């Protein structure tokens, strides 16, 4: 196992079994893994607050003593530069590669940081936070795709959204 620390960044809105699979495998390769939750995801306003996303992740990573959950604002390259580690990402499909390649090259040019990729487990190659949210909030069953603590938080959120209508 490498002594290096890996930073696994993401929106985690919400965390899925695909994320957890990457975290578990990274934790077996690196001395320490920091799951870094971006405060303001670029794509859209998150459905889950930063506190909710961090709490869900902390519940999920509890079994792995070398995994910590933190958050960051602004550029990932600045956050990683301050820690001097490598970035780890999961790759699901070819379209991921296209965007991840430019992101990895930009982060390298900004802070000389390397990005290492783990191929997603085939069971999760179609799983994203967005698709899980869409299916769940339209009444579909996502129990096989998210960790149990995440499903519990999603169910609560669905109830509070329904009640607020
Ligand atoms: O889970 P996501 O939404 O795919 O994660 C994307 C994330 C958070 C890794 C990416 O948007 C990011 O690094 N955001 C921080 C801002 C930044 O550094 N942007 C420039 C990337 S080259």
């Amino acid at each position: 196992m490498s002594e290096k620390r890996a930073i696994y960044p993401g929106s985690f809105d919400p965390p899925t079994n695909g994320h957890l699979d990457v975290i578990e495998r990274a934790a077996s390769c690196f001395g320490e893994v920091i799951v870094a939750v971006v405060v303001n995801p670029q794509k859209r306003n998150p459905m889950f607050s930063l506190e909710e996303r961090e709490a869900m992740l902390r519940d999920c990573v509890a079994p792995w003593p070398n995994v910590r959950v933190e958050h960051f604002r602004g550029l990932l390259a600045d956050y990683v530069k301050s820690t001097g580690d490598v970035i780890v990402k999961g790759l699901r499909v070819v379209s991921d590669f296209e965007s991840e390649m430019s992101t990895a090259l930009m982060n390298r040019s900004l802070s000389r940081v390397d990005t290492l990729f783990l191929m997603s487990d085939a069971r999760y190659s179609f799983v994203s936070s967005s698709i899980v949210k869409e299916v769940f909030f339209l009444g579909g069953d996502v129990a096989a795709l998210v960790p149990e603590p995440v499903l519990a938080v999603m169910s609560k959120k669905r109830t509070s959204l329904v009640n607020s209508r």
Side-chain angles (χ1 to χ4, degrees), residues 70-152:
E70 289 185 357
H71 61 259
F72 72 102
R73 286 187 171 74
L75 278 178
L76 176 62
D78 289 341
Y79 172 75
V80 180
K81 199 177 188 176
S82 69
T83 60
D85 303 314
V86 297
I87 296 169
V88 164
K89 300 291 280 290
L91 273 186
R92 292 165 300 190
V93 286
V94 173
S95 54
D96 277 354
F97 177 79
E98 287 173 10
S99 59
E100 293 296 348
M101 182 169 172
S102 52
T103 302
L105 291 176
M106 177 57 88
N107 283 328
R108 182 152 174 76
S109 98
L110 288 169
S111 74
R112 307 304 301 159
V113 64
D114 275 316
T115 303
L116 304 181
F117 292 97
L118 285 170
M119 302 310 299
S120 285
D121 188 287
R123 284 173 299 167
Y124 306 126
S125 60
F126 65 97
V127 178
S128 67
S129 298
S130 322
I131 204 165
V132 160
K133 274 184 292 195
E134 180 170 345
V135 169
F136 181 76
F137 287 97
L138 291 172
D141 181 3
V142 297
L145 309 179
V146 295
E148 206 283 319
V150 172
L151 194 61

Side-chain angles (χ1 to χ4, degrees), residues 1-66:
M1 187 199 283
S2 161
E3 286 306 302
K4 258 192 172 309
R5 239 168 34 159
I7 309 291
Y8 180 45
S11 308
F12 305 108
D13 186 42
T16 67
N17 283 343
H19 293 129
L20 266 284
D21 174 62
V22 171
I23 294 169
E24 181 174 23
R25 287 156 62 203
S28 73
C29 299
F30 294 93
E32 190 178 11
V33 175
I34 312 262
V35 181
V37 185
V38 70
V39 174
N40 295 313
Q42 240 86 48
K43 295 170 197 160
R44 61 175 78 93
N45 283 338
M47 172 167 280
F48 298 93
S49 68
L50 175 65
E51 292 71 27
E52 287 171 322
R53 288 178 283 140
E54 284 194 290
M56 286 187 273
L57 281 164
R58 289 207 172 97
D59 274 352
C60 295
V61 305
W64 303 303
N66 61 336

